[in-house]
Amino acid sequence: NAVIPFLDELTPAAAAIQAVNTIVNEDGRLIGHNTDGCGYTQNLRRNGVEVAGKKIVLLGGGGAASAIAIQAALEGAAEIAVFNLKDSFWPRIEQGMRAISEAAPSCAISLHDLNDREKLRTAIERCDILSNGTRVGMAPYEDQSNIQDLSWFRPDLVVTDVVYAPPTTKMLREARAAGCKTCDGLGMLLCQGAAAFRLYSGQEMPVEEIRALLYA
């Protein structure tokens, strides 16, 4: 966030969420990108899932979650229901969701309290993709999941996580057991790195080979 005033241009995604993680010098002009969101959608694509036309429930509204929301909206998601804790960051999340709505007006963005379990259940019932964009599932919360009622999982639901350590979180493990297609956070991490590598070098990063080395 702090480097943005020193940049000459931002991509639409970076401008909407006011955060960059990759800066490219193009003939003296510094262009700010945020590759988290495209890492998320590319990881889904590698697993045969497109976000265009889909209804998404996103748990969390800041950090990587906001990058996911703007990229999915820009790629044609029909609806994104964001569920975040109603804490001191809530006004900032509201502002961020308004910016995303303005950048991608064709996508219906809504913000809800994560503790409203009935509204969350209803939203998951009608969504195509459920995404965890919080730290729940990562150390020291490995034994936790934002979804306690396993009946909310169903075989036609795609479940994703931004957590990459461990690569299989409690939520993903339980979703797989219920028959859901799942995409882990390690895939997103590698794909956002591949996007940055492409911007820097113009070359493709061998994502599958690197993933295989990580599990060797």
Side-chain angles (χ1 to χ4, degrees):
N1 309 87
V3 78
I4 286 176
F6 304 99
L7 303 181
D8 297 296
E9 185 181 337
L10 299 176
T11 63
I17 63 173
Q18 288 293 291
V20 304
N21 65 357
T22 302
I23 301 169
V24 181
N25 187 329
E26 296 184 5
D27 299 321
R29 286 177 53 77
L30 299 179
I31 314 299
H33 301 254
N34 192 302
T35 63
D36 284 335
C38 60
Y40 170 82
T41 58
Q42 180 58 27
N43 187 41
L44 282 175
R45 202 167 287 119
R46 286 172 59 247
N47 287 277
V49 179
E50 294 286 345
V51 298
K54 299 295 180 19
K55 297 175 181 177
I56 300 171
V57 168
L58 178 59
L59 309 179
S66 64
I68 289 171
I70 181 59
Q71 190 66 33
L74 289 172
E75 291 191 23
E79 296 179 17
I80 303 175
V82 178
F83 285 81
N84 196 82
L85 290 175
K86 207 163 188 179
D87 55 17
S88 59
F89 291 99
W90 183 266
R92 187 185 303 176
I93 303 298
E94 284 184 311
Q95 182 179 359
M97 293 306 115
R98 283 195 296 269
I100 292 172
S101 293
E102 291 171 4
S106 63
C107 180
I109 306 284
S110 59
L111 177 61
H112 314 278
D113 185 355
L114 183 58
N115 285 324
D116 188 337
R117 307 309 286 184
E118 182 58 26
K119 185 167 285 187
L120 178 59
R121 180 191 64 79
T122 301
I124 292 174
E125 278 183 352
R126 61 188 298 271
C127 82
D128 305 294
I129 302 171
L130 169 64
S131 299
N132 175 47
T134 75
R135 294 182 60 196
V136 174
M138 181 179 281
Y141 311 109
E142 302 101 321
D143 61 342
Q144 297 181 26
S145 168
N146 281 307
I147 307 301
Q148 286 87 42
D149 189 337
L150 303 188
S151 70
W152 294 4
F153 294 129
R154 60 181 195 276
D156 64 334
L157 181 66
V158 177
V159 181
T160 77
D161 212 320
V162 301
V163 173
Y164 53 84
T168 303
T169 60
K170 183 176 191 290
M171 185 184 79
L172 291 186
R173 190 166 58 250
E174 292 174 341
R176 286 178 188 172
C180 302
K181 178 190 283 286
T182 62
C183 299
D184 61 37
L186 182 58
M188 174 181 166
L189 179 69
L190 290 171
C191 286
Q192 69 81 26
F197 184 77
R198 187 182 309 113
L199 288 166
Y200 288 138
S201 69
Q203 300 180 50
E204 293 299 321
M205 191 178 89
V207 173
E208 292 303 330
E209 288 85 345
I210 292 174
R211 186 177 180 112
L213 286 171
L214 290 172
Y215 283 107

